[in-house]
Structure formats: structure tokens, C-alpha cells
Amino acid sequence: MIYAANFKTNHTRQSTREYLGKLQPQLSKKNPNDKVYIFPPLTALDDYESADFRVGAQNAYPVENGAFTGEVGVEQLTEFNINTILIGHSERRDIIGESQEDVAKKFAFFKEQGFEIIYCIGESLEVREEGIEAVMTHLVSQFEGIDTSYDNFVVAYEPIWAIGTGRTASVDEITETHNALKKVVDKPLLYGGSVKGANIKEIAHVENVDGVLVGGASLKTETFLELVLH
Ligand code: PGA
């Protein structure tokens, strides 16, 4: 299983350091095959040097460096040995306004750099209510321009209506969607959307769920560890 913590715009450099300091000693208890990823805000990136977890960037601009005011490129990530990135999160697509073309450009660039990419896809409630066929048409459209044969990538399925809402997709919905997705991309497949201590067991049990991407429940070391050590 993969356990990925997405802090979004939460935590500071100081509190991230404290968080990781508390997390690290507990990770000796995890299953050695499990992988833990932490995506802190950009200001908290550093070379934390742990064999037990990997730190990645929530976002970056697809350039080495240059004149892109307010953005961070590969040069800034490499300073901290960061070579893992989240691409396509629904908050970046819907709030920041990244188009599929922007997302595909980013994917191609970071693929070229050999980054490990956690690529997020997900449908709105409106699409979900139309049924699984509409959901799959939407999800497949989010692979437009994406080289799904790239070795170093993981897909995160995150229904938008389940993100930060406390409403998790049902086990049946996750099962049906993940089974269909595995036929489209044969890559590790994470589920995201209100994953927490109370539902990790049933979600982790779903056949094609290879891990979870967690926002809210990842913000405290204790609640994230409830997932990692469940
Ligand atoms: P959530 O966020 O766990 O708070 O629903 C998940 C995500 O957006 O990655």
C-alpha cells in the first residue's frame, strides 16, 4: 500500500518539521512493503533524508528555471532532492484553472525529468449521478495527452464530491471505478476523498486499491498514523 499525505495550503516549515519528527520513529512499525509520501507546502520543502518516507512537491512549473514570477521549477526542487510531484489535482484544475492541456504539458515535462508522478483524476457529483459510463468517459478524458506507459507514475482516483466533504465514495463505487480504471491504465491506483481512520480498513481491502491520497486526515501525525498503521 501507498499512503500519501497532501497537506495542501496547511502547515508551515516549522510545523512540517515537527510533524515529520513525530512521524519518523513510528514508521519502523509500518509494513516494510508500504510506502509513505508527504506533500507539504512548497515553503516547507527540504531534504529530510529519511528511508521511511518520501517528500514530494504538490506542484511546480514545467521549467528548469527562468522568468516565471511566483513559480518554482526543477532547479528549486533539485536543491532538496525532490523528484516526486502531484499533477492534476482537482483543486488545481478547478480552482487554479489548469486545463487538461496544461496538466499534460506538466506531465510530459516531469516525465522527461524522470520524476515520480502521482497523477490525479476525478469526476464531479453531476457526472457521478449520470452513472459509471459517464464517470469513465470523464476519467478517460483526463488521460488525454498523458503517456500512460510511463514507468514512474501512480494514478490517484479522487471523486471531487468526496474531497474534504466527509462523504466517501462507497466500497461498491470504489470497486467498480478502480476495476474499470485498471483496464485503462495498469498502474498503482490510489483512492482519495475523505479517507480516515474510520474507513481505511474497508477502502484498503478493495482489490484494486493500491493506496490512498489523504488531505484532512493527514494533517495530524496521529490521524495519518491511524491510516499507515491500521
Ligand atoms: P481529503 O482530501 O482527504 O481531505 O478529502 C483528499 C485530497 O484532496 O487529496
Side-chain angles (χ1 to χ4, degrees):
M1 283 279 289
I2 291 172
Y3 298 88
N6 176 10
F7 287 180
K8 307 188 179 181
T9 317
N10 297 294
H11 276 299
T12 60
R13 190 170 182 80
Q14 171 72 22
S15 69
T16 299
R17 194 166 283 282
E18 287 165 10
Y19 180 106
L20 295 174
K22 276 208 280 184
L23 185 72
Q24 173 64 43
Q26 299 297 323
L27 291 180
S28 57
K29 298 184 207 154
K30 78 174 176 61
N31 178 330
N33 296 322
D34 289 346
K35 288 189 187 164
V36 173
Y37 292 80
I38 310 288
F39 294 90
L42 287 173
T43 57
L45 290 183
D46 207 340
D47 193 343
Y48 291 99
E49 283 179 25
S50 167
D52 296 318
F53 61 84
R54 179 178 274 234
V55 172
Q58 293 173 24
N59 178 51
Y61 203 62
V63 290
E64 175 71 31
N65 54 29
F68 305 94
T69 301
E71 297 291 341
V72 158
V74 170
E75 183 179 88
Q76 289 76 35
L77 299 183
T78 306
E79 180 181 12
F80 304 121
N81 287 317
I82 305 292
N83 50 20
T84 304
I85 188 166
L86 279 184
I87 295 181
H89 192 281
S90 61
E91 284 152 16
R92 295 210 56 87
R93 293 180 192 262
D94 297 347
I95 303 173
I96 314 294
E98 284 185 9
S99 66
Q100 183 59 31
E101 205 184 333
D102 297 330
V103 167
K105 226 192 243 173
K106 225 173 242 193
F107 188 101
F109 178 85
F110 285 100
K111 174 194 139 189
E112 198 61 35
Q113 302 288 323
F115 269 55
E116 177 167 19
I117 298 172
I118 310 236
Y119 183 68
C120 307
I121 57 172
E123 83 286 355
S124 64
L125 188 55
E126 216 177 1
V127 173
R128 173 51 71 177
E129 282 170 348
E130 284 175 42
I132 187 68
E133 267 180 47
V135 169
M136 285 311 295
T137 303
H138 179 78
L139 297 180
V140 167
S141 79
Q142 293 189 311
F143 288 114
E144 213 175 285
I146 303 297
D147 175 7
T148 55
S149 69
Y150 180 47
D151 277 342
N152 208 4
F153 102 105
V154 169
V155 175
Y157 166 59
E158 300 200 296
I160 298 166
W161 46 274
I163 294 180
T165 58
R167 176 177 171 188
T168 320
S170 70
V171 165
D172 286 350
E173 284 167 326
I174 300 173
T175 305
E176 186 179 40
T177 314
H178 277 231
N179 286 347
L181 276 170
K182 271 282 174 175
K183 291 186 190 137
V184 180
V185 269
D186 191 14
K187 294 289 166 189
L189 196 47
L190 312 186
Y191 168 77
S194 299
V195 176
K196 49 182 183 277
N199 57 29
I200 185 65
K201 273 202 171 66
E202 58 180 25
I203 292 172
H205 255 104
V206 176
E207 193 191 341
N208 280 321
V209 168
D210 304 306
V212 287
L213 179 56
V214 189
S218 77
L219 295 180
K220 287 195 185 128
T221 323
E222 297 76 17
T223 51
F224 187 52
L225 280 168
E226 275 179 38
L227 309 180
V228 177
L229 305 178
H230 82 270

